[in-house]
PDB file of all heavy atoms in Angstrom:
ATOM      1  N   GLY B1272      -0.660  53.123   8.341  1.00  0.00           N
ATOM      2  CA  GLY B1272      -2.090  52.912   8.504  1.00  0.00           C
ATOM      3  C   GLY B1272      -2.799  52.596   7.207  1.00  0.00           C
ATOM      4  O   GLY B1272      -4.016  52.515   7.152  1.00  0.00           O
ATOM      5  N   GLN B1273      -2.042  52.450   6.140  1.00  0.00           N
ATOM      6  CA  GLN B1273      -2.673  52.108   4.872  1.00  0.00           C
ATOM      7  C   GLN B1273      -2.770  50.592   4.753  1.00  0.00           C
ATOM      8  O   GLN B1273      -2.025  49.857   5.385  1.00  0.00           O
ATOM      9  CB  GLN B1273      -1.827  52.645   3.717  1.00  0.00           C
ATOM     10  CG  GLN B1273      -1.897  54.132   3.583  1.00  0.00           C
ATOM     11  CD  GLN B1273      -0.952  54.593   2.497  1.00  0.00           C
ATOM     12  OE1 GLN B1273       0.216  54.238   2.499  1.00  0.00           O
ATOM     13  NE2 GLN B1273      -1.473  55.396   1.584  1.00  0.00           N
ATOM     14  N   GLN B1274      -3.702  50.179   3.929  1.00  0.00           N
ATOM     15  CA  GLN B1274      -3.825  48.749   3.682  1.00  0.00           C
ATOM     16  C   GLN B1274      -3.531  48.460   2.227  1.00  0.00           C
ATOM     17  O   GLN B1274      -3.965  49.196   1.347  1.00  0.00           O
ATOM     18  CB  GLN B1274      -5.232  48.264   4.007  1.00  0.00           C
ATOM     19  CG  GLN B1274      -5.527  48.296   5.496  1.00  0.00           C
ATOM     20  CD  GLN B1274      -6.871  47.679   5.785  1.00  0.00           C
ATOM     21  OE1 GLN B1274      -7.105  46.549   5.424  1.00  0.00           O
ATOM     22  NE2 GLN B1274      -7.742  48.421   6.427  1.00  0.00           N
ATOM     23  N   VAL B1275      -2.806  47.367   2.001  1.00  0.00           N
ATOM     24  CA  VAL B1275      -2.530  46.979   0.619  1.00  0.00           C
ATOM     25  C   VAL B1275      -2.937  45.531   0.428  1.00  0.00           C
ATOM     26  O   VAL B1275      -3.103  44.785   1.402  1.00  0.00           O
ATOM     27  CB  VAL B1275      -1.037  47.134   0.252  1.00  0.00           C
ATOM     28  CG1 VAL B1275      -0.621  48.574   0.278  1.00  0.00           C
ATOM     29  CG2 VAL B1275      -0.186  46.299   1.188  1.00  0.00           C
ATOM     30  N   PHE B1276      -3.118  45.161  -0.798  1.00  0.00           N
ATOM     31  CA  PHE B1276      -3.387  43.752  -1.087  1.00  0.00           C
ATOM     32  C   PHE B1276      -2.775  43.388  -2.433  1.00  0.00           C
ATOM     33  O   PHE B1276      -2.444  44.257  -3.229  1.00  0.00           O
ATOM     34  CB  PHE B1276      -4.892  43.451  -1.067  1.00  0.00           C
ATOM     35  CG  PHE B1276      -5.677  44.197  -2.081  1.00  0.00           C
ATOM     36  CD1 PHE B1276      -5.940  43.652  -3.323  1.00  0.00           C
ATOM     37  CD2 PHE B1276      -6.160  45.463  -1.795  1.00  0.00           C
ATOM     38  CE1 PHE B1276      -6.658  44.348  -4.268  1.00  0.00           C
ATOM     39  CE2 PHE B1276      -6.873  46.164  -2.741  1.00  0.00           C
ATOM     40  CZ  PHE B1276      -7.133  45.618  -3.979  1.00  0.00           C
ATOM     41  N   GLY B1277      -2.614  42.120  -2.633  1.00  0.00           N
ATOM     42  CA  GLY B1277      -1.963  41.651  -3.852  1.00  0.00           C
ATOM     43  C   GLY B1277      -2.917  40.851  -4.725  1.00  0.00           C
ATOM     44  O   GLY B1277      -3.855  40.231  -4.242  1.00  0.00           O
ATOM     45  N   LEU B1278      -2.681  40.918  -6.021  1.00  0.00           N
ATOM     46  CA  LEU B1278      -3.489  40.183  -6.995  1.00  0.00           C
ATOM     47  C   LEU B1278      -2.533  39.431  -7.911  1.00  0.00           C
ATOM     48  O   LEU B1278      -1.494  39.962  -8.277  1.00  0.00           O
ATOM     49  CB  LEU B1278      -4.260  41.157  -7.879  1.00  0.00           C
ATOM     50  CG  LEU B1278      -5.502  41.833  -7.378  1.00  0.00           C
ATOM     51  CD1 LEU B1278      -5.923  42.867  -8.396  1.00  0.00           C
ATOM     52  CD2 LEU B1278      -6.601  40.817  -7.194  1.00  0.00           C
ATOM     53  N   VAL B1279      -2.890  38.224  -8.258  1.00  0.00           N
ATOM     54  CA  VAL B1279      -2.098  37.507  -9.255  1.00  0.00           C
ATOM     55  C   VAL B1279      -3.004  37.139 -10.410  1.00  0.00           C
ATOM     56  O   VAL B1279      -4.027  36.500 -10.221  1.00  0.00           O
ATOM     57  CB  VAL B1279      -1.436  36.247  -8.673  1.00  0.00           C
ATOM     58  CG1 VAL B1279      -0.760  35.456  -9.776  1.00  0.00           C
ATOM     59  CG2 VAL B1279      -0.424  36.622  -7.622  1.00  0.00           C
ATOM     60  N   GLN B1280      -2.632  37.598 -11.604  1.00  0.00           N
ATOM     61  CA  GLN B1280      -3.411  37.280 -12.788  1.00  0.00           C
ATOM     62  C   GLN B1280      -2.599  36.374 -13.689  1.00  0.00           C
ATOM     63  O   GLN B1280      -1.370  36.377 -13.655  1.00  0.00           O
ATOM     64  CB  GLN B1280      -3.776  38.568 -13.536  1.00  0.00           C
ATOM     65  CG  GLN B1280      -4.883  39.326 -12.860  1.00  0.00           C
ATOM     66  CD  GLN B1280      -4.966  40.712 -13.392  1.00  0.00           C
ATOM     67  OE1 GLN B1280      -4.232  41.593 -12.981  1.00  0.00           O
ATOM     68  NE2 GLN B1280      -5.891  40.906 -14.332  1.00  0.00           N
ATOM     69  N   GLN B1281      -3.326  35.646 -14.500  1.00  0.00           N
ATOM     70  CA  GLN B1281      -2.692  34.616 -15.303  1.00  0.00           C
ATOM     71  C   GLN B1281      -2.477  35.090 -16.717  1.00  0.00           C
ATOM     72  O   GLN B1281      -3.365  35.665 -17.335  1.00  0.00           O
ATOM     73  CB  GLN B1281      -3.608  33.385 -15.305  1.00  0.00           C
ATOM     74  CG  GLN B1281      -2.944  32.122 -15.700  1.00  0.00           C
ATOM     75  CD  GLN B1281      -1.953  31.671 -14.652  1.00  0.00           C
ATOM     76  OE1 GLN B1281      -2.109  31.999 -13.487  1.00  0.00           O
ATOM     77  NE2 GLN B1281      -0.941  30.941 -15.071  1.00  0.00           N
ATOM     78  N   GLY B1282      -1.297  34.891 -17.244  1.00  0.00           N
ATOM     79  CA  GLY B1282      -1.055  35.098 -18.664  1.00  0.00           C
ATOM     80  C   GLY B1282      -0.555  33.789 -19.221  1.00  0.00           C
ATOM     81  O   GLY B1282      -0.376  32.832 -18.476  1.00  0.00           O
TER      82      GLY B1282
END
Side-chain angles (χ1 to χ4, degrees):
Chain B
Q1273 288 175 309
Q1274 291 186 56
V1275 294
F1276 62 93
L1278 282 172
V1279 174
Q1280 284 165 278
Q1281 198 69 27

